[in-house]
Amino acid sequence: MTRARVLLLTAALGPLDYRVPQGSAAPLGSVVVAPLGPRRLGGVVWEDGSFGAPDPVGDNRLRNLYEIVPVPPVPAPLRRLVEWTSDYYLSPPGSVLRMVLPGVAFADARRPIIEYRATGDLPPRMTPQRTVAIEAIGDRQGTVRELAALANVSEAVIRGLVQTGALEPVSVAADAPYPEPDRSFAPPDLSDEQRAAAGQLKAAVEARRFETLLLDGVTGSGKTEVYMEAVAAALAAGRQALILLPEIALTEPMLTRFAARFGCEPVAWHSGLRQAERRRAWHAIASGGARIIVGARSALFLPYADLGAIIVDEAHETSFKQEDGVHYHARDVAVMRGHFEGLPVILASATPALESLAQVEAGRYRHIVLPARYGGATLPDLAAIDMRADPPDRGRWLAPPLVDALADRLHKGEQSLLFLNRRGFAPLTLCRTCGHRIQCPNCTAWMVEHRLVHRLACHHCGHVMPPPRLCPECEDEDSLVACGPGVERVADEVGLRFPEARTAIVTSDTLWSPAKAAEFVDNVEAGLVDIIIGTQLVTKGYHFPNLTLVGVVDADLGLDGGDLRASERTFQQIAQVAGRAGRGVKPGEVLIQTRVPDAPVMAALVANDRDGFYAAEAASRKSAGAPPYGRFAALIISSEDLEVARGLAQRLGQKAPVLDGLSVYGPAPAPLAMLRGRHRFRLLLHAPRSFDLQGAIRDWVGAIDWPAKARLAIDIDPYSFV
Ligand SMILES: [Zn+2]
Ligand SMILES: [Zn+2]
């Protein structure tokens, strides 16, 4: 009789033993379906000695596995990565495994998926909901559930449309092969510097061993073309290549660039995929049929058949850190995956994270530098506008020198970009009569006005409401005023000052799908946009040669939060957005509106003194023992019941470990004291780099009795302190 130890796809349990049915085999890594009580759960056959020893179960009490799923087994290096991730981030291994095996892994790839699309016939009886649905669906197709979500109607409405013949079924083959990329389709014309860098990356791919390479090139230096040569080397070796991107909005333009280089689009993996697309992509990745994969951080854990290289683009981006579920950092886990699989990991950035530069300094990462822009383009000129000396007009946000510069570009037919990292129209609505501020009922946060859709929205929980006519507090009429600018308000000002200018607002509200992002790029490239007004979404990846002016509307915004990376993040963000200017033959100009032009980060930006900034920042982190020279971890306790949360936080505080080198701060109410209706308290742990933080937390938290109504989130190496 054969036993198998199975790690199930549930956060609640460790591995369990099962009987392998007679006549079947379930070698290590096999994907299986197993009984758990009355349920059927997916899982993976794991090594016997893993995750400690569960209680021995007699052979006679073992239950049979239901099924061994006909997909390739999860390879040993990926099983080690699951264990490491679970161990390092103190997350249940079943939760990590779920990223390897999303639901689509268990679907039969040979069975087609039925999707629906509009026929053009209208149903005999129209209802308002049906009208909304037909308009929203347009020429797209999807499953009943996807179309219902797309149109924001119930599934019954969609099924009704199917019955009347307004929607027709389409069968989508889930195992259709992807086109084969051609590594010699359109080799780029590289500069000498690029060719030297590409040569190093290619050699690292051919060496088939673990190494981390930091591809550090100024904006516009052609990093993408360089790392594409590493992709070509992986293809030449018959292997796969994975490119991780920080935002799904960047995926679409990247797919186009890859298609231009390799003759066909790569396989995409992100949360915006339809069910049918996900299933097809997952199976092709696991079988080796997908050769180049461009994806969001969730692509990192997929079971690649034969991965040859991982590239993390814009590797400094903090959006690689996942802030719920398993709190992992995709850049750091990518390096670990390279370590377990024996393959090179390439981190590409114009403004590397201090963490990555410290690894270079310690001799652990290889540093490959591209110091100049491609094709002789020069770096833009940066200047600060002192908002105290040159303030905007009352009720306006753009200072006179920036307005003049915009007028000049409009006159010359060149494009401009205004950057403000704040969505919506205004971050705060205030009553002039009584001072009341409109707050989210579920969070310690103000409701942000979104005038384009006529709503107030909470950016933390998604709560929306129509803008009230009366003050909710004093019931005064017409007393509510918008305070402060968001991108929509800056766009309003641009519209008032330059009525003839064609503008585009770029935020996650307007560029919510890869298709929208592609449309935006097409419009800018076709010269249909004069002034772009955008959030951090426009700071990276885009290459618009006719864009010659960048205005940073409020450079101080990122410095307010006071978290340990505030200066670094501000430097990176402004350097990145500045990098959008003057990428063609015309030189670029960048104007930075600030009230603190003497702050070290502003001075370094204006002086183009990157090395000086990083050196000063490193010195101050070193003296504070802050990352990357020390370690932090956060415990976040939350409950719908304030007293439960407070009581538990206090108990954790009282039982806090007293260990040499470890400091424990708190518990204190979190800055976001309430989030999605849950009261939150935080504890912060600080220790030297060599300290075993995970061990201390495991012992500490493991000894506490846990009330059912409370939740604990553990955040190792936190990036968010709210
Ligand atoms: Zn009022
Ligand atoms: Zn909220």
Side-chain angles (χ1 to χ4, degrees):
M1 111 112 224
T2 325
R3 299 170 72 110
R5 180 150 297 174
V6 176
L7 180 60
L8 294 169
L9 287 168
T10 167
L13 293 168
L16 296 175
D17 287 347
Y18 289 92
R19 181 189 294 122
V20 181
Q22 278 205 332
S24 322
L28 287 174
S30 298
V31 178
V32 300
V33 179
L36 184 70
R39 293 195 292 159
R40 295 168 61 91
L41 277 182
V44 170
V45 177
W46 222 266
E47 280 79 357
D48 263 354
S50 49
F51 308 111
D55 294 338
V57 179
D59 284 355
N60 55 337
R61 288 178 44 223
L62 286 182
R63 297 180 71 182
N64 267 343
L65 291 173
Y66 281 141
E67 191 192 337
I68 291 139
V69 183
V71 295
V74 173
L78 183 50
R79 299 201 297 277
R80 301 295 81 79
L81 185 75
V82 169
E83 290 164 1
W84 179 87
T85 306
S86 158
D87 212 49
Y88 186 85
Y89 291 105
L90 297 172
S91 288
S95 303
V96 182
L97 188 61
R98 225 178 259 148
M99 299 192 278
V100 178
L101 297 175
V104 289
F106 295 90
D108 184 349
R110 290 158 303 183
R111 232 187 54 233
I113 284 182
I114 304 299
E115 296 188 336
Y116 296 88
R117 68 176 171 213
T119 55
D121 297 341
L122 292 181
R125 193 175 60 83
M126 283 301 270
T127 63
Q129 293 238 301
R130 285 181 169 180
T131 310
V132 165
I134 287 174
E135 260 177 35
I137 291 168
D139 56 3
R140 282 175 281 194
Q141 65 183 55
T143 60
V144 169
R145 177 187 291 187
E146 285 161 358
L147 294 181
L150 178 70
N152 202 14
V153 298
S154 73
E155 293 182 26
V157 172
I158 302 297
R159 278 193 294 268
L161 287 172
V162 173
Q163 260 157 25
T164 63
L167 296 176
E168 64 180 358
V170 207
S171 171
V172 184
D175 60 352
Y178 288 96
E180 183 82 4
D182 174 1
R183 70 190 150 90
S184 341
F185 182 77
D189 184 15
L190 298 178
S191 69
D192 289 346
E193 279 169 350
Q194 282 179 310
R195 198 169 311 117
Q200 293 197 55
L201 300 186
K202 275 174 82 166
V205 173
E206 285 157 4
R208 293 182 171 237
R209 44 161 210 275
F210 168 57
E211 187 184 6
T212 309
L213 304 99
L214 178 63
L215 178 59
D216 181 355
V218 296
T219 55
S221 59
K223 289 183 291 296
T224 312
E225 288 70 24
V226 170
Y227 74 60
M228 277 178 173
E229 295 314 290
V231 173
L235 293 178
R239 311 186 83 187
Q240 297 166 298
L242 165 65
I243 300 94
L244 288 180
L245 300 177
E247 302 269 359
I248 78 161
L250 292 178
T251 320
E252 200 69 23
M254 202 52 111
L255 297 183
T256 312
R257 288 178 81 173
F258 270 85
R261 167 67 180 85
F262 295 106
C264 64
E265 284 201 353
V267 176
W269 182 271
H270 54 72
S271 57
L273 294 184
R274 280 145 48 212
Q275 184 75 0
E277 295 170 316
R278 276 179 96 72
R279 192 170 87 173
R280 181 178 170 212
W282 189 91
H283 285 274
I285 285 166
S287 69
R291 302 292 303 279
I292 308 177
I293 298 90
V294 170
R297 59 179 182 240
S298 59
L300 181 58
F301 285 93
L302 297 175
Y304 296 89
D306 187 12
L307 195 54
I310 302 176
I311 294 140
V312 183
D313 201 1
E314 312 286 356
H316 61 280
E317 274 297 322
T318 51
S319 53
F320 280 120
K321 176 77 192 315
Q322 172 140 312
E323 296 293 356
D324 53 12
V326 182
H327 286 58
Y328 70 97
H329 197 304
R331 180 191 65 223
D332 299 346
V333 179
V335 172
M336 288 314 293
R337 184 154 194 175
H339 163 76
F340 287 120
E341 307 233 6
L343 55 85
V345 179
I346 297 161
L347 309 179
S349 176
T351 52
L354 208 55
E355 276 80 359
S356 302
L357 289 170
Q359 296 285 2
V360 166
E361 198 152 293
R364 284 188 283 266
Y365 292 2
R366 196 193 322 179
H367 202 191
I368 301 175
V369 182
L370 294 170
R373 282 194 155 181
Y374 179 76
T378 50
L379 281 169
D381 263 337
L382 275 76
I385 299 175
D386 185 341
M387 297 290 270
R388 296 163 309 184
D390 245 334
D393 302 341
R394 220 182 129 75
R396 302 284 178 95
W397 317 101
L398 305 177
L402 182 52
V403 174
D404 293 346
L406 285 167
D408 174 60
R409 291 325 187 282
L410 274 173
H411 179 69
K412 289 197 278 200
E414 296 172 8
Q415 292 166 318
S416 305
L417 163 64
L418 293 174
F419 168 66
L420 175 65
N421 203 17
R422 208 191 253 146
R423 290 158 52 208
F425 183 82
L428 168 65
T429 304
L430 175 90
C431 171
R432 238 181 331 216
T433 310
C434 74
H436 178 72
R437 295 157 175 225
I438 299 187
Q439 231 192 353
C440 173
N442 312 316
C443 307
T444 316
W446 297 330
M447 296 293 286
V448 178
E449 182 181 359
H450 287 248
R451 201 162 276 189
L452 292 176
V453 291
H454 209 62
R455 286 257 190 294
L456 300 185
C458 171
H459 287 183
H460 296 283
C461 72
H463 178 77
V464 290
M465 60 195 249
R469 206 173 50 83
L470 308 178
C471 168
E473 192 66 23
C474 70
E475 302 192 342
D476 221 5
E477 229 173 306
D478 298 325
S479 67
L480 296 172
V481 285
C483 297
V487 281
E488 291 177 13
R489 199 169 197 176
V490 173
D492 261 20
E493 181 176 343
V494 169
L496 284 171
R497 291 186 185 276
F498 307 108
E500 73 285 8
R502 296 158 302 172
T503 58
I505 300 180
V506 177
T507 75
S508 53
D509 301 315
T510 58
L511 254 62
W512 44 269
S513 73
K516 289 273 176 197
E519 191 185 315
F520 160 70
V521 172
D522 287 347
N523 285 341
V524 179
E525 282 176 349
L528 301 175
V529 175
D530 300 311
I531 302 176
I532 304 165
I533 303 113
T535 59
Q536 44 87 26
L537 263 194
V538 295
T539 59
K540 50 195 169 272
Y542 295 113
H543 178 78
F544 301 130
N546 197 36
L547 199 160
T548 57
L549 172 69
V550 166
V552 179
V553 176
D554 185 354
D556 311 336
L557 196 59
L559 293 174
D560 295 343
D563 87 55
L564 73 100
R565 293 183 181 85
S567 291
E568 183 190 353
R569 208 136 47 186
T570 297
F571 183 87
Q572 289 164 335
Q573 212 162 50
I574 294 177
Q576 289 282 342
V577 72
R580 298 313 109 198
R583 295 171 74 98
V585 286
K586 299 172 196 158
E589 180 185 14
V590 181
L591 296 173
I592 303 170
Q593 299 196 148
T594 173
R595 281 172 304 275
V596 285
D598 302 328
V601 51
M602 301 303 163
L605 279 162
V606 170
N608 194 15
D609 182 14
R610 189 186 103 154
D611 294 348
F613 171 77
Y614 276 121
E617 184 68 14
S620 95
R621 298 261 191 103
K622 216 175 251 176
S623 76
Y629 308 101
R631 305 188 60 198
F632 282 115
L635 305 188
I636 303 114
I637 299 106
S638 70
S639 172
E640 285 175 13
D641 185 327
L642 173 61
E643 288 317 313
V644 170
R646 194 203 315 270
L648 179 60
Q650 279 168 354
R651 225 149 19 96
L652 269 167
Q654 284 153 8
K655 297 262 167 68
V658 181
L659 295 166
D660 206 21
L662 176 69
S663 309
V664 180
Y665 304 102
L672 255 172
M674 191 152 99
L675 179 62
R676 297 186 192 94
R678 301 178 71 85
H679 300 274
R680 303 165 77 242
F681 289 82
R682 291 182 68 105
L683 288 132
L684 188 67
L685 286 76
H686 182 203
R689 257 187 84 84
S690 57
F691 191 91
D692 177 17
L693 259 184
Q694 283 89 342
I697 295 173
R698 219 177 264 126
D699 292 345
W700 174 21
V701 170
I704 300 266
D705 265 340
W706 220 254
K709 289 188 334 194
R711 221 182 275 158
L712 170 69
I714 301 174
D715 193 357
I716 304 286
D717 309 336
Y719 278 69
S720 161
F721 295 85
V722 297

